[in-house]
Amino acid sequence: MHHPAELQPERSRLIRKLQSVADLSPDEQRAVFSLPMVVKTMAADQDIIRVGDRPSDCCLVVEGFVCRYDLMSEGKRQILSFHISGDIPDLQSLFLEVMDHSLCTLTPCKLAFVPHDSLRALLRAHPGLAAAFWRDTLIEAAVSREWMVGLGHRAADQRAAHLLCEMLVRLKAVGEAREHAYELPLTQAELGDALGLSIAHVNRTLQDLRAGGLIELRRGTLAILDWDGLKRLAEFDPTYLHLRDKAVAA
Amino acid sequence: MHHPAELQPERSRLIRKLQSVADLSPDEQRAVFSLPMVVKTMAADQDIIRVGDRPSDCCLVVEGFVCRYDLMSEGKRQILSFHISGDIPDLQSLFLEVMDHSLCTLTPCKLAFVPHDSLRALLRAHPGLAAAFWRDTLIEAAVSREWMVGLGHRAADQRAAHLLCEMLVRLKAVGEAREHAYELPLTQAELGDALGLSIAHVNRTLQDLRAGGLIELRRGTLAILDWDGLKRLAEFDPTYLHLRDKAVAA
DNA sequence: CGATACGTTGACGGAAATCAACCCCGGTGG
DNA sequence: CCACCGGGGTTGATTTCCGTCAACGTATCG
């Protein structure tokens, strides 16, 4: 039986992502191709799962931007991570019954839902895949730590610059970015919720980056004009993303 | 062959910790008891592993406080997590070759080093243990996210209060705390590096908490005088720690 | 006993929050 | 067709939390 990639866009996104993180054997790739999944499209700003839910599926992002977030009293929102094509942001629900944060779409999205049972069977049958997924959750944890460093100790412009660097490298790793440009369909309010900054200050910060000739950001498209300058400002070192292909980090 | 717990303090700390997170069968416990490990004592403020290292062992904390940290330019330090008896703070090195942060002792410590090979063999032979360890790494990630919320959006006193709540629950889960008191042998500088605050402000913040009748903190011993008040201030909800024994979270 | 590390306190400054307009643009409907 | 609306972006004035700096207190230890 054949599973040509062009007929299996969901599964091939997942494989492309896993390949950026670990080395999959042909056998393992085939196993991923036979994972059952239900594809669903969602509008922007819709919750996928909420705090307290006990999901029985995992959600694979096929197209669009998704984020984890947590709400606090007084309506403040902290965005905990951004997720792109190939990510499974709630993989943790395989092992932690109840969600300790929510998941929502930031743009219109194509999502694919995989039953926990099928995933568990896959991991049991293919230890190499289990290792790859585990590795991926560890990388996500590393990204969280890097964000902590930013929130704790970096100034606003460094923090923003670091996020822009990170997204470029991650998007390139799954082939969703050009050399020094990519689609970043986020509002300044969303950036602020991720960076721990007010809307007003995000605005001023982005203008500083523009004024410094580092970036251009209009209508959801980011162009990095001075990659070295941006990296230097952010003190960006992609090691923490633990990507397999070192070329990507150039 | 018998392995009485009192003769195997290192392994029993590990088991106690894993039991707080997952349910181990007698067989799995026995397997953990036969893990080879080399015990080592270290003074306070010593690096265990550094950024860039490629360790071939994992480090189990038997006694003492350990932290992960990352340094920035201008000597700023962000503490990324605290680790206590039973934790394996560098378990990730099983899957991520190169360290993206450092690990150091905060107090004199007893540490036990387990070769990667032995751990890998253990996980291969006991899928239930693999699940328990995976679950534990996911919980650590959840703790990081909770810290992100604090660093991004909580005021200094809430942030400090939240940390104190978290440490109580974690220490109680492994039997290292009394009802509302525990040893917290951290300097204000270390608290500041974790909370993203300057030394001066940590001092003021702790005095606010004292003045509010919430805590008493002297010579490394913390007494929580008003647990409900502290939880309320911190908006502390222990769900994110995903502990098995709900009683602990009271 | 002085050395050193940790804790405490105050004065001052700055980065970012808050509050409040205002602009621009695409969509919608009368 | 234009008026209106709402979401997103921009800007300025003011405030506040927290950092920085500097001094001083206090305890532990060789």
Side-chain angles (χ1 to χ4, degrees):
Chain A
M1 190 164 74
H2 288 278
H3 303 280
E6 61 275 15
L7 295 182
Q8 298 265 359
E10 305 82 22
R11 284 139 183 113
S12 56
R13 296 295 163 86
L14 175 54
I15 289 184
R16 187 176 63 173
K17 159 65 185 280
L18 288 174
Q19 290 274 27
S20 79
V21 149
D23 193 13
L24 303 193
S25 72
D27 188 47
E28 288 161 349
Q29 296 185 37
R30 235 172 290 123
V32 172
F33 262 114
S34 50
L35 258 188
M37 34 181 87
V38 175
V39 178
K40 193 172 151 188
T41 65
M42 286 183 75
D45 298 311
Q46 304 294 313
D47 277 340
I48 302 170
I49 357 175
R50 265 183 267 262
V51 192
D53 284 358
R54 298 165 173 272
S56 57
D57 303 87
C58 285
C59 162
L60 166 67
V61 181
V62 182
E63 279 168 24
F65 271 61
V66 164
C67 78
R68 293 173 165 159
Y69 72 92
D70 213 354
L71 293 179
M72 321 195 35
S73 60
E74 321 120 43
K76 285 161 178 287
R77 174 172 82 157
Q78 175 69 43
I79 289 184
L80 302 163
S81 56
F82 291 119
H83 294 279
I84 59 175
S85 177
D87 286 351
I88 303 187
D90 61 345
L91 188 69
Q92 61 154 309
S93 64
L94 268 185
F95 296 94
L96 302 177
E97 304 73 37
V98 42
M99 289 297 292
D100 54 42
H101 61 271
S102 301
L103 212 58
C104 81
T105 60
L106 295 170
T107 65
C109 279
K110 195 158 118 189
L111 305 173
F113 291 88
V114 188
H116 280 178
D117 295 341
S118 314
L119 259 176
R120 265 192 262 270
L122 181 77
L123 299 184
R124 212 177 310 117
H126 299 273
L129 282 177
F133 277 106
W134 194 340
R135 189 176 150 94
D136 186 51
T137 65
L138 290 168
I139 293 174
E140 273 187 29
V143 172
S144 297
R145 284 193 297 270
E146 196 61 37
W147 283 36
M148 286 178 51
V149 174
L151 290 167
H153 284 296
R154 280 197 259 260
D157 55 348
Q158 289 189 297
R159 231 181 286 178
H162 200 279
L163 177 62
L164 299 179
C165 289
E166 176 181 309
M167 292 311 291
L168 176 70
V169 174
R170 287 179 57 196
L171 286 164
K172 277 176 90 168
V174 294
E176 300 274 345
R178 280 156 284 149
E179 183 56 21
H180 284 130
Y182 55 90
E183 302 307 307
L184 188 70
L186 303 180
T187 67
Q188 297 186 347
E190 287 158 348
L191 286 173
D193 286 342
L195 297 171
L197 298 174
S198 66
I199 298 183
H201 208 66
V202 170
N203 189 291
R204 288 187 262 260
T205 302
L206 290 177
Q207 289 186 50
D208 287 348
L209 296 182
R210 277 191 277 250
L214 297 173
I215 64 164
E216 200 170 344
L217 176 55
R218 279 188 355 255
R219 270 181 268 105
T221 298
L222 176 78
I224 297 177
L225 305 177
D226 179 0
W227 173 235
D228 287 332
L230 197 66
K231 279 204 311 192
R232 201 174 329 113
L233 172 62
E235 299 180 23
F236 179 74
D237 171 0
T239 311
Y240 72 98
L241 292 169
H242 297 275
L243 294 173
R244 228 157 47 88
D245 184 19
K246 298 304 176 187
V248 176
Chain B
M1 191 162 72
H2 289 276
H3 304 281
E6 60 275 17
L7 296 180
Q8 299 266 357
E10 305 80 24
R11 284 140 184 114
S12 56
R13 297 295 163 87
L14 175 54
I15 289 184
R16 187 176 64 173
K17 159 64 186 280
L18 288 174
Q19 290 275 27
S20 78
V21 149
D23 192 13
L24 303 192
S25 72
D27 188 46
E28 288 161 350
Q29 296 184 37
R30 234 171 292 123
V32 172
F33 262 114
S34 50
L35 259 188
M37 34 181 87
V38 175
V39 178
K40 193 172 151 188
T41 67
M42 285 183 76
D45 297 310
Q46 304 295 313
D47 278 339
I48 302 169
I49 356 174
R50 263 184 268 261
V51 193
D53 285 358
R54 298 164 173 272
S56 57
D57 304 87
C58 284
C59 162
L60 165 67
V61 181
V62 182
E63 280 168 25
F65 270 61
V66 164
C67 77
R68 294 172 166 160
Y69 72 92
D70 213 355
L71 293 178
M72 319 194 38
S73 59
E74 320 121 43
K76 286 161 178 287
R77 173 172 82 157
Q78 176 69 43
I79 290 184
L80 302 163
S81 57
F82 290 120
H83 294 280
I84 59 176
S85 177
D87 288 350
I88 304 187
D90 62 344
L91 187 69
Q92 61 155 306
S93 64
L94 267 185
F95 297 94
L96 302 176
E97 304 72 39
V98 42
M99 289 297 292
D100 54 41
H101 60 270
S102 300
L103 213 57
C104 80
T105 60
L106 295 169
T107 64
C109 280
K110 196 159 119 188
L111 306 173
F113 290 88
V114 188
H116 280 179
D117 294 341
S118 315
L119 259 176
R120 265 191 260 270
L122 181 77
L123 300 184
R124 210 176 312 117
H126 300 272
L129 282 176
F133 277 106
W134 193 340
R135 189 175 151 93
D136 186 53
T137 65
L138 290 168
I139 293 175
E140 272 187 30
V143 172
S144 298
R145 283 194 298 270
E146 196 60 38
W147 282 35
M148 286 177 51
V149 174
L151 289 167
H153 283 297
R154 280 198 258 261
D157 54 349
Q158 290 190 296
R159 229 181 287 177
H162 200 279
L163 178 61
L164 299 180
C165 290
E166 176 181 309
M167 292 312 291
L168 176 69
V169 173
R170 287 179 58 196
L171 286 164
K172 276 176 92 169
V174 294
E176 300 273 345
R178 279 156 284 149
E179 184 55 21
H180 285 130
Y182 56 89
E183 302 306 307
L184 187 71
L186 304 179
T187 67
Q188 297 187 348
E190 287 158 350
L191 286 173
D193 287 342
L195 298 171
L197 298 174
S198 66
I199 297 182
H201 210 66
V202 169
N203 189 291
R204 288 187 266 259
T205 302
L206 290 177
Q207 288 187 50
D208 288 348
L209 296 182
R210 277 190 276 249
L214 297 172
I215 64 164
E216 200 171 344
L217 177 54
R218 279 187 356 254
R219 269 181 269 105
T221 297
L222 176 77
I224 297 177
L225 304 178
D226 179 359
W227 174 234
D228 287 333
L230 196 67
K231 278 205 309 193
R232 200 173 330 114
L233 173 62
E235 298 179 23
F236 179 74
D237 171 0
T239 310
Y240 72 98
L241 291 169
H242 297 275
L243 294 174
R244 225 156 49 88
D245 184 21
K246 299 302 176 187
V248 176

